[in-house]
Amino acid sequence: MKHLLILSTLLPFLLTADELVRNGDFNALTPAGLPQAWDVRAKGVDTVEVKDGVLTVKSATPDGMVFLIQTDVPLKQGGAYLLRYQAEAPDGASYRVYLESMLQQDGKRSSRSFGAAWQQGKGGDFRQHQEFFTFPAPWQKPYLVLNVKGDK
């Protein structure tokens, strides 16, 4: 099984130190024990757990995908931001944390991602990740995605 432990933040870069991710430390939980402000998309055999502010995600199948999504991240068009998180995963585990946004133009819908490169686990040690980006106009409705793939 793949395991992914994540601590995440999305900070405005050169603006203020306010965190823009709601419940980014995963300490507020629903009655079902899932992180509040996050939409969990997983199959019944996949697991998402939180203990002491650390999120653990397990995909139960080789082709399985587990997603945690937070919508309506309050970014300003033209604003510069830093997406920063720590993740721990065993060797061979694949994960990514990224921001995605939508654009509706001329009747067509497009999406754009920031920081969506897949990361590979390195022996279970926490690794720091960060991505600087500028949120462009006229993109709208940004959302944050935590994604785990496979069962290693």
Side-chain angles (χ1 to χ4, degrees):
M1 284 191 176
K2 284 196 179 178
H3 303 264
L4 175 65
L5 305 174
I6 295 180
L7 306 170
S8 70
T9 59
L10 179 64
L11 301 171
F13 180 62
L14 298 176
L15 295 176
T16 67
D18 296 335
E19 288 196 28
L20 301 174
V21 176
R22 296 177 314 279
N23 195 25
D25 61 6
F26 308 110
N27 282 322
L29 303 178
T30 67
L34 299 174
Q36 289 181 0
W38 294 90
D39 178 25
V40 177
R41 297 183 187 171
K43 296 182 180 178
V45 292
D46 298 328
T47 60
V48 176
E49 301 172 334
V50 179
K51 184 174 181 179
D52 299 324
V54 176
L55 173 71
T56 302
V57 179
K58 298 176 188 175
S59 176
T61 62
D63 59 348
M65 297 280 267
V66 180
F67 294 88
L68 278 83
I69 300 171
Q70 186 170 119
T71 58
D72 301 321
V73 178
L75 303 185
K76 295 181 182 176
Q77 292 177 345
Y81 297 92
L82 169 63
L83 173 61
R84 180 176 61 201
Y85 65 96
Q86 295 179 50
E88 173 190 12
D91 287 335
S94 298
Y95 62 92
R96 60 185 177 168
V97 177
Y98 61 97
L99 190 86
E100 192 161 270
S101 184
M102 306 306 289
L103 175 65
Q104 184 80 28
Q105 196 170 31
D106 300 326
K108 296 179 182 176
R109 186 174 165 181
S110 302
S111 65
R112 181 172 179 184
S113 299
F114 304 92
W118 284 101
Q119 305 293 324
Q120 298 297 316
K122 304 272 186 191
D125 293 328
F126 268 102
R127 294 175 48 210
Q128 179 79 29
H129 301 274
Q130 62 182 29
E131 177 87 16
F132 290 96
F133 66 93
T134 300
F135 186 64
W139 293 86
Q140 302 173 9
K141 300 183 180 180
Y143 53 95
L144 186 63
V145 180
L146 312 180
N147 183 203
V148 175
K149 175 172 69 171
D151 71 341
K152 288 193 176 192

